[in-house]
């Protein structure tokens, strides 16, 4: 059994491998302050074989932040943003990255292709599989393959609806036709040269829900009755599920993904479903079973763990748990639960995730998707490690590990009061880089240069530069789209009517100045920007967050806009055309400047999409619905 | 068996009771458009007997938003806010309200007492139990009783640490001494006349965590080793747990609450723990078992359901899942999971919650606690019902119920495009009230009057008044502290240096005007406010949210401040003194006015606490630590 080697091993004087129970541990030592210090390193990752995992206890992490997560309202990401996230997912050690739905739009295709190429020739110990979604039709599968084939490890993920109601109304096909379609399309994907094909029965895993009347009074007709929803599982559904899964295995599928599409099952039920599939599907031992759990009842993490315990060896998750409605199982919760409890309570299961990159991934996805996580979000919320309960003050400092099941360091978050690095206006680039690393941001090159010059400007005006100031700055500097328009200056006055004057510089160097009145300084400034940029948009959301240590701290603004002549993509499950929305953020010590930066960035993102589309055949940007 | 009658029954022409399987259904009809329409109504609620539930399938909902939830960083609530929430919890049909920790501070005592008195003489079909927390000492129990005894159904909830490490380091007591303390304090609570006493072994339920070395290399000392956390459950811990629970039952406890203090257990384990306690604790059949699950791994809802399935008949939850770190199991998730799946997957369990009041409760707690929920929060998040996936457009409209496991109406949220009520500047009070009810806000009296005048002012300036505008207005108008200072006017200019002038009016009628410069208009205005109010505070957080339909919409600002000469309370579990923080919100079409309103409101909240304390013996505000 070949194994990839931890990256850190290269700099370790004496790597040693331990083995405890079933889990191989790879430990690496770094020199710190003249003496060796142990560095937590991921467990040995078994060799990647599409339909088989050499170690039966290893669980593959399939991240679908870029596909399912990006489907959240307003979470549209640019190609650059997707590539940034893909790189961070690779750092995390994710096994499979679902990079998008290439048939959705040209922009989606381009992003998947770029990510696939990114991982074509990487000289790394771990290269993630790059996966593209496709409906069960030739065109989708061809587009998906054309996008992912450049990757070192490409995968096509195809799906079809299998519940009776979907087959009848959405597909207008008989069950036999659905099986035939699934079988032939999986075989077609294999025939293109793709050796790694995942298949999802879109809704068969989620049980077949029906409304039945609990109370038998029907005098007013069904519409007026108080009905009680009850899920029933018809045996025929299960038998059909085993049948279609068995057929796609024969056709060459390597992973079978079982979604809980409506987030309705309880952990015991979902575990049983996976166990039943494992027990009853012909040929199941030749493939990997996967879970994909929605969070509508807040049970996605528990369902995912129950699925893994019952035999699934791939789990589909998203960073921060983003996704449509209540989102998906979140990577950080599932991974940390397996890390903390795998050995004792989950039969020795483990993953290949380097958890120290979780915080950076979480922050990046929060910035790019515009989906803010709540302060009490498990693992990555702002309060997750804020212990108001001061056990420490009770003479129990030595035992604090007893109370923290996960230490901040485990997920890449250093406590600032323990870090020892304090930045001031004399601090250099190296100190800034070290500090950002402590905060979970691993940045370098031009991004670091730009951040450093912004940092110097702020340090000149503000005595204490807090961690939050730095986070705001890095978000403004690092998490930005390519520039079409750049804000040069904004002045405003609000004695009587609010007025604002803005100066914008186009990428071609032209300067544009305009002014407008409005109901407030931000409104006036936005109207002035509109006079220059001349793109009709609707402002969907606007929010501004100041941070600690007084109102003179840096304020971060986030806006969400939608273009009126829209940027269209196709929704994976419905085939519906979706009008994309774009999120932009900006940061400044002045809230008006911060607000205008955010607006200009959102416009840049939208213009980036529009300009790209314009250079190609306009018909290409519309997807033909074939099924 | 006596049963309370649904409130709606009073206006129903012909209430009828159905019985299906084990669940009694009470159905009530209202006349709508001249014909009767069925109204969903809560199930019959069994009579309240402290240590016994006549229907073995009924699960009591114990809400601790006001106690455990309020311990979240920055979530401090005023007495008025707590009373508002308590009333909303009663409307929801919560069985037990944990109103606070009376020994924590005089403000906490006052709030619990006020809530207890509120429910002393209510002429309602359902009166919640009012519960006060107390450590295992005479003074805490006396304070708790003094606060809750006014309620129609008072309860004392006392707790003590029972893990070896806590007993040894925090309590400095032997296990025998701990059992004796628990036994005598439960008996003492009963001796005061309290017939309803809950006992929690603070951490016995959460297993005893230990660090053990997975790899045996110890050359660098334990601090430098990469250790692997493993939870071990020593048999002695379990035996001790059964023993102490058995003793407090003998002493008169009526409910035994089992916390998962560190949120570390998996559903299967937590269910087993409850089953083991049920099987092994002497006298357990005479009491109710309760769960209290933290959310550190995102498993609190699943653990709570597993506990109920295994025999717990009280579940401790908070609205929106707020609480320290990653919070607690959230009421809405647990209740909706039981509602949706109780009959089929949870052995027929049901609760007495009227789920149509969930949205209002969620919004109220979000406003008062300052803890924003994420858009993909299950059940109550902004996106929870935002279906981008347009199944509806696929000719499947008739079957949409198949895809929505919970309809927005179930939790009190009407879809605005179905409501039919559109507000304009000619709309009257009645239309406003009806619209607010649709949005989940049940307001009346002076609050409605004030909201109506604000609404009229906005309607004069803005053509389309969106639902979000109304929500911002109602938050600003309804969710506010008592006024000490009122903002009359603010003007600002930012040509060159930012300057702001504010006019504030004190509750005694005095007008104060001041001006200041600052780094931006808000900074300048806040400094001007400081010159008038003269209370040294630290601004901990500042955030501003605009809403849909352009930047001329109403912006909501939220600030969090902490007074420098602080308002102190005692933390329940640690005995530590906590310096309280206060949250304020404001709304306006001008972001500067919105920001200053929020700041003044937060100051009013802080001043309300300080003034109250000043009128009493200053020593009283500090709690003497006795245990």
């Amino acid at each position: 059994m070949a194994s990839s080697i931890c990256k850190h091993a290269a700099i370790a004087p004496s790597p040693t491998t331990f083995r405890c129970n079933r889990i191989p541990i790879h430990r690496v030592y770094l020199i710190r302050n003249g003496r060796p210090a142990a560095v937590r390193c991921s467990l040995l990752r078994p060799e990647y074989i599409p339909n088989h995992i050499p170690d039966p206890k290893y669980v593959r992490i399939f991240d679908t932040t870029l596909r399912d997560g990006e489907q959240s309202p307003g979470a549209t990401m640019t190609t650059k943003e997707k590539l940034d996230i893909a790189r961070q997912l690779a750092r995390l050690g994710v096994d499979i990255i679902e990079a998008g739905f290439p048939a959705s739009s040209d922009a989606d295709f381009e992003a998947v292709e770029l990510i696939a190429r990114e991982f074509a020739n990487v000289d790394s110990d771990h290269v993630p599989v790059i996966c593209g979604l496709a409906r069960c039709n030739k065109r989708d599968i061809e587009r998906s393959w054309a996008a992912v084939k450049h990757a070192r490890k490409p995968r096509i993920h195809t799906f079809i609806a299998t519940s009776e109601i979907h087959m009848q109304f959405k597909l207008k096909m008989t069950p036999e036709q659905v099986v035939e379609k699934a079988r032939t399309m999986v075989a077609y994907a294999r025939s293109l040269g793709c050796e790694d094909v995942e298949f999802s029965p879109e809704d068969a895993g989620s049980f077949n829900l029906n409304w039945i009347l609990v109370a038998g009074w029907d005098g007013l007709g069904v519409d007026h009755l108080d009905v009680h929803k009850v899920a029933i599982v018809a045996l025929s559904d299960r038998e059909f599920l085993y049948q279609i899964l068995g057929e796609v295995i024969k056709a060459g599928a390597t992973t079978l993904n079982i979604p809980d599409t409506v987030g309705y099952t309880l952990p015991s039920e979902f575990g049983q479903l996976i166990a039943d599939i494992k027990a009853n599907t012909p040929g199941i031992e030749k493939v990997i079973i996967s879970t994909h759990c929605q969070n509508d009842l807040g049970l996605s993490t528990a369902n995912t763990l129950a699925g893994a315990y019952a035999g699934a060896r791939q789990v589909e998750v998203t960073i921060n748990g983003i996704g449509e409605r209540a989102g998906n199982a979140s990577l950080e919760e599932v991974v940390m639960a397996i890390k903390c409890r795998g050995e004792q309570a989950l039969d020795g299961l483990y993953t290949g995730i380097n958890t120290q990159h979780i915080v950076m991934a979480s922050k990046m996805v929060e910035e790019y998707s515009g989906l803010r996580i709540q302060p009490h979000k498990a693992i990555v919320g702002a309060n997750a490690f804020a212990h108001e309960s001061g056990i420490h003050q009770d003479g129990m400092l030595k035992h604090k590990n007893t109370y923290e099941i996960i230490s901040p360091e485990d997920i890449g978050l250093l406590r600032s009061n323990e870090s020892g690095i304090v930045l001031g206006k004399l601090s250099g680039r190296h100190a800034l880089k070290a500090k950002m690393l402590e905060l979970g941001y691993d940045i370098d090159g031009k991004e670091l240069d730009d951040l450093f010059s912004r940092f110097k400007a702020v340090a000149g005006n503000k005595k204490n530069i807090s961690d939050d100031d730095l986070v705001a700055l890095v978000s403004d500097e690092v998490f930005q789209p390519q520039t079409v328009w750049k804000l040069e200056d904004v002045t405003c006055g609000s004695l009587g009517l609010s007025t604002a004057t803005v100066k914008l510089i186009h990428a071609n160097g032209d300067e544009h100045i305009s002014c407008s009145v409005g109901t407030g300084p931000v409104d006036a400034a936005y109207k002035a920007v509109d006079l220059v940029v001349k793109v009709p948009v609707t402002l969907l959301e606007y929010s501004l967050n100041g941070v600690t240590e007084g109102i003179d701290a840096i304020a971060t603004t986030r806006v969400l806009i939608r273009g009126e002549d829209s940027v269209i993509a196709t929704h994976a499950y419905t085939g519906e055309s979706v009008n994309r929305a774009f999120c932009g953020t900006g940061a400044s010590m002045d809230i008006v400047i911060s607000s205008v930066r955010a607006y200009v960035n959102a416009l840049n993102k939208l213009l980036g999409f529009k300009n790209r589309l314009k250079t190609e055949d306009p018909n290409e940007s519309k997807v033909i619905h074939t099924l």
Side-chain angles (χ1 to χ4, degrees), chain A:
Chain A
M1 160 187 156
S3 290
S4 56
I5 299 299
C6 170
K7 199 176 178 180
H8 292 158
I11 50 166
S14 63
T16 321
T17 301
F18 296 89
R19 201 171 168 89
C20 173
N21 291 342
R22 286 171 301 271
I23 308 181
I25 305 274
H26 190 75
R27 186 179 310 287
V28 179
Y29 308 106
L30 289 173
I31 305 299
R32 186 184 291 166
N33 299 331
R35 53 184 303 204
V39 168
R40 186 165 309 189
C41 190
S42 50
L43 302 169
L44 282 187
R45 187 192 302 270
E47 182 189 11
Y48 187 77
I49 304 164
N51 69 333
H52 175 68
I53 304 175
D55 185 337
K57 298 301 180 192
Y58 184 80
V59 179
R60 287 179 182 163
I61 301 295
F62 176 112
D63 182 279
T64 182
T65 305
L66 298 177
R67 205 275 305 159
D68 196 326
E70 205 231 1
Q71 278 182 21
S72 312
T76 310
M77 298 174 200
T78 63
T79 299
K80 175 192 174 286
E81 290 170 343
K82 287 184 177 176
L83 189 60
D84 281 357
I85 290 175
R87 286 177 181 146
Q88 183 64 20
L89 292 172
R91 262 179 230 124
L92 256 180
V94 157
D95 298 273
I96 300 103
I97 297 173
E98 188 162 53
F101 173 32
S104 170
S105 73
D106 287 352
D108 287 82
F109 179 90
E110 190 181 277
V112 176
E113 188 186 22
L114 198 71
I115 292 168
R117 288 187 191 275
E118 170 80 10
F119 295 104
N121 302 303
V122 183
D123 183 26
S124 170
D125 51 300
H126 168 61
V127 178
V129 174
I130 305 301
C131 176
L133 188 71
R135 287 165 296 189
C136 263
N137 66 59
K138 280 194 173 186
R139 185 185 170 280
D140 270 28
I141 288 169
E142 285 160 8
R143 291 285 281 171
S144 188
W145 179 239
V148 300
K149 68 180 178 193
H150 310 284
R152 181 136 21 124
K153 301 176 194 159
R155 178 188 288 192
I156 294 172
H157 176 194
T158 189
F159 68 96
I160 196 165
T162 53
S163 71
E164 207 181 307
I165 196 161
H166 262 118
M167 291 191 287
Q168 191 179 341
F169 289 92
K170 183 172 149 183
L171 302 180
K172 297 182 176 58
M173 288 163 79
T174 64
E176 294 69 30
Q177 287 171 319
V178 170
V179 172
E180 179 60 16
K181 179 65 108 177
R183 207 186 55 68
T184 54
M185 287 302 112
V186 167
Y188 183 66
R190 290 296 303 253
S191 77
L192 295 174
C194 184
E195 291 173 3
D196 195 356
V197 177
E198 173 169 336
F199 173 79
S200 295
E202 186 189 336
D203 48 3
S206 71
F207 295 41
N208 189 2
L209 308 183
N210 286 282
W211 291 73
I212 64 160
L213 301 182
V214 169
W217 190 64
D218 60 1
L220 295 173
V222 171
D223 281 355
H224 289 272
L225 267 180
D226 179 11
V227 291
H228 187 81
K229 282 163 254 182
V230 175
I232 55 164
V233 187
L235 186 63
S236 61
D237 286 346
R238 283 291 180 93
E239 294 298 338
F240 180 66
L241 185 57
Y242 306 147
Q243 184 200 341
I244 191 166
L245 293 178
E247 289 297 320
V248 297
I249 293 171
K250 279 193 257 172
T254 48
T255 296
L256 300 182
N257 178 50
I258 310 302
D260 176 21
T261 313
V262 290
Y264 200 67
T265 51
L266 301 188
S268 53
E269 294 173 304
F270 194 72
Q272 190 60 51
L273 175 65
I274 298 295
D276 288 349
I277 288 169
K278 198 176 169 186
N280 295 295
T281 303
I284 195 77
E285 67 286 352
K286 297 180 208 145
V287 299
I288 310 296
I289 303 174
S290 168
T291 66
H292 184 117
C293 300
Q294 301 292 131
N295 197 39
D296 293 71
L297 289 175
L299 297 170
S300 59
T301 299
N303 282 341
T304 301
L305 296 176
Y309 187 73
R313 287 296 176 269
Q314 173 180 293
V315 290
E316 302 199 359
V317 291
T318 61
I319 302 288
N320 296 344
I322 66 169
E324 285 187 288
R325 304 196 311 278
N328 295 280
S330 75
L331 180 142
E332 61 277 12
E333 293 175 9
V334 169
V335 163
M336 293 313 291
I338 292 176
K339 184 182 168 100
C340 293
R341 307 304 315 286
E343 182 62 22
Q344 196 215 0
L346 292 167
D347 204 17
L349 298 182
Y350 71 102
T351 76
I353 298 298
N354 184 339
T355 60
Q356 290 179 349
H357 293 291
I358 283 177
V359 167
M360 179 67 172
S362 169
K363 286 175 174 173
M364 191 184 271
V365 169
E366 192 174 14
E367 290 297 330
Y368 285 159
S369 70
L371 295 168
R372 288 252 166 193
I373 53 173
Q374 60 200 19
H376 52 297
K377 168 76 178 70
I379 313 292
V380 291
N383 291 350
F385 293 103
H387 286 252
E388 289 271 305
S389 49
I391 290 284
H392 307 160
Q393 303 187 358
D394 240 5
M396 296 186 68
L397 200 59
K398 282 186 201 163
H399 297 272
K400 69 178 180 177
N401 291 332
T402 311
Y403 296 87
E404 285 181 336
I405 59 167
I406 299 161
S407 69
E409 294 82 358
D410 284 345
I411 59 166
L413 187 71
L414 289 199
R415 277 176 262 231
S416 57
N417 58 349
E418 291 180 5
S419 72
I421 302 177
V422 178
L423 294 184
K425 62 181 174 180
L426 299 178
S427 303
R429 279 170 47 97
H430 182 75
L432 179 64
K433 181 174 163 56
K435 183 74 193 177
M436 294 319 296
L437 209 54
E438 276 186 9
L439 295 172
Y441 295 87
D442 185 4
I443 56 172
D444 226 324
K446 185 175 176 314
E447 286 177 341
L448 181 62
D449 293 344
D450 292 346
L451 181 68
F452 186 64
S453 73
R454 293 282 300 274
F455 160 74
K456 281 298 198 185
V458 172
N461 287 319
K462 191 166 188 294
K463 205 169 54 183
N464 298 314
I465 299 178
S466 70
D467 290 356
D468 291 312
D469 288 335
L470 292 170
V471 169
L473 272 191
V474 77
S475 302
D476 192 40
E477 200 56 56
V478 177
F479 300 136
Q480 292 302 343
Q482 284 106 324
T483 304
V484 179
W485 290 98
K486 185 170 180 302
L487 176 67
E488 178 73 9
D489 201 8
V490 55
T491 56
C492 58
S494 62
L495 296 158
L497 272 180
S498 284
T499 60
T501 307
V502 298
K503 188 199 280 186
L504 296 176
I505 301 180
H506 193 268
N508 65 14
D510 291 353
E511 261 188 38
H512 297 252
I513 298 180
S514 75
C515 72
S516 177
V517 294
T519 53
V522 176
D523 184 42
Y526 279 25
K527 284 175 176 156
V529 170
D530 287 343
L531 292 174
V532 174
V533 178
K534 294 193 181 70
V535 175
V537 298
T538 305
L539 182 68
L540 300 175
E541 279 176 38
Y542 168 89
S543 70
L544 190 145
N545 286 277
V547 281
T548 56
E549 298 184 43
I551 193 66
D552 65 337
I554 293 167
T556 299
T557 307
R558 180 191 314 272
V559 300
L560 187 67
I561 61 170
R562 182 151 56 206
E564 288 178 19
D565 48 340
S566 52
V567 181
I568 300 290
T570 304
H571 191 282
Y573 294 130
T574 63
E576 197 192 352
S577 289
V578 179
N579 191 349
R580 287 185 183 274
F582 297 87
C583 159
T585 61
S588 166
M589 285 169 69
D590 181 309
I591 59 173
V592 178
I593 296 175
S594 163
S595 301
V596 179
R597 273 180 188 276
Y599 188 52
V600 171
N601 281 328
L603 287 166
N604 280 334
K605 215 156 151 175
L606 180 137
L607 290 169
F609 264 71
K610 287 173 75 83
N611 292 345
R612 205 200 51 71
L613 293 175
K614 269 182 203 156
T615 60
E616 297 173 18
D617 177 4
N619 293 326
E620 266 296 290
S621 70
K622 299 233 168 168
V623 171
I624 301 133
H625 296 209
T626 55
L627 209 75

